[in-house]
Amino acid sequence: MSEAPLPPLTIVEIQRRVGAELDRIGSVIDELGARFAEAGEELALVGGPVRDAMIGRLQNDLDFTTSARPDTTERLLAGWADAVWDMGRAFGTIGCRKGPWQVEITTYRSESYDPTSRKPDVDFGDSLAGDLGRRDFTVNAMAVRVPSRDFVDLYGGIVDLAERVLRTPGTPEDSFSDDPLRMMRAARFAAQLGFSVAPDVVAAMTAMAGRIEIISAERVRDELVKLICAPHPRLGLKLLVDTGLAAYVLPELPALALERDEHHRHKDVYEHTLTVLEQSIDLEHRLGGGPDFVSRFAALMHDVGKPKTRRFESGGIVTFHHHDVVGAKLTRKRMQALRFANADIDAVATLVELHLRFHGYGSGEWTDSAVRRYVRDAGD
Ligand code: ATP
Ligand code: MG
């Protein structure tokens, strides 16, 4: 997996892509836009789909923002969508499906957080500008009004997207005070998009890392899973470690970096771990399907038992006896703290506990029955 920065995109190329993608979803945005306009409401495609259309990776999820309150949205979708559901009316979000499209429509928000509380206070807003201003990154704060297809970019998101950089619309300090989860999201989007993070954003993440503690474990977990399942997890993980965020959300990882010993008697366990993660990703296609969280997270955690079990023996020998068992225990504890489902915890911890069984496999020392035993013990 190459770490060389991708060349900047040209604005002309970005505009061409958006035009082509909007044409592709033309019937949805024209019909839905007309329905809202007739009711005197504003509607705009916003956030992820606008960003992804520019990168050329727009999928079937279409997020909209609107002046309409949820009850009105629901009424306007009835008779048009194939199915409508409540995704969180209190937060303003109504979902629907129309053919292959998954649509989420959220009322304009001006959301603020009480920094001492875990609960977001939601205030519905009145303007698209206000709604865009409270979004996390400039590349996520662009909108296309429908049905007019007017492009709205108040914070220079298109330039940042061309340069592949994550920047906050306002100061990163204000943004992260409002919602510290955005620090995790910076790392997640770096991993998903292969973007860099602006230096002032990295500085704020570093200074404010401890604020992540007010965020619920579930929200942190969801961002971590997306980061690990992304195309460039190394970028996101490095950012978490370098800013100090990992010390709060996944302390076992920076602990591996402390294992570097000055005489280089054994490999840098942290670097080795990131390499194993990437090797695991390279083999993933054999499992069929897409990114596999269990195997990726097991690769990341496989050596976390090493710091606790390291012993210096005579003759300059370093040992890590039982680091597999200790690592499986630490993995369980961490995944429980992050509120993972028991099935995921069991699957990852089992792989961590069994990882030493692979010794000798590469040199052909495994017998058929050893392979069968491994498959039985490791499960799916
Ligand atoms: P994907 O759905 O592909 O993971 P996305 O950009 O749609 O990416 P979501 O988490 O679905 O990400 O959020 C949708 C949009 O809502 C974002 O693009 C961003 O504009 C805004 N957003 C979501 N969470 C936050 C947050 N915590 N702070 C500020 N803005 C947010
Ligand atoms: Mg989304």
Side-chain angles (χ1 to χ4, degrees), residues 312-345:
F312 296 102
E313 315 284 342
S314 58
I317 293 169
V318 184
T319 62
F320 302 97
H321 290 307
H322 305 302
H323 78 266
D324 44 354
V325 178
V326 172
K329 263 199 197 125
L330 291 172
T331 300
R332 251 176 214 290
K333 253 182 88 181
R334 178 57 44 205
M335 290 182 80
Q336 276 158 358
L338 287 167
R339 308 266 193 282
F340 275 94
N342 285 333
D344 287 338
I345 299 177

Side-chain angles (χ1 to χ4, degrees), residues 46-49 51-52 57 61 63 104 109 111 113 132 134-137 139-142 175 179 181-182 185 188-189 192 219 223 226:
V46 72
R51 175 199 72 216
D52 290 344
R57 58 160 226 177
D61 290 339
D63 298 341
E104 272 180 34
R109 289 205 286 224
E111 186 176 331
Y113 274 73
L132 295 178
R134 57 155 284 280
R135 288 179 183 261
D136 49 4
F137 301 105
V139 296
N140 288 342
M142 294 182 279
S175 177
D179 181 4
L181 185 74
R182 293 172 186 161
R185 290 174 62 87
R188 186 257 279 205
F189 284 114
Q192 280 185 331
R219 293 181 78 203
E223 291 300 328
K226 286 180 182 174

Side-chain angles (χ1 to χ4, degrees), residues 33-50:
R35 282 179 97 87
F36 278 70
E38 276 161 28
E41 301 286 0
E42 298 178 358
L43 183 71
L45 193 67
V46 72
V50 176

Side-chain angles (χ1 to χ4, degrees), residues 74-147:
E74 210 166 33
R75 186 166 53 75
L76 292 172
L77 290 176
W80 176 80
D82 300 331
V84 180
W85 55 87
D86 182 347
M87 296 204 50
R89 186 183 303 269
F91 292 88
T93 307
I94 302 293
C96 77
R97 185 179 60 77
K98 172 76 169 176
W101 310 105
Q102 297 287 335
V103 176
E104 272 180 34
I105 303 182
T106 304
T107 305
Y108 290 157
R109 289 205 286 224
S110 52
E111 186 176 331
S112 62
Y113 274 73
D114 171 352
T116 59
S117 148
R118 284 161 179 255
K119 261 186 110 173
D121 303 318
V122 176
D123 287 321
F124 293 143
D126 298 315
S127 70
L128 179 60
D131 183 88
L132 295 178
R134 57 155 284 280
R135 288 179 183 261
D136 49 4
F137 301 105
T138 62
V139 296
N140 288 342
M142 294 182 279
V144 177
R145 289 186 187 271
V146 296

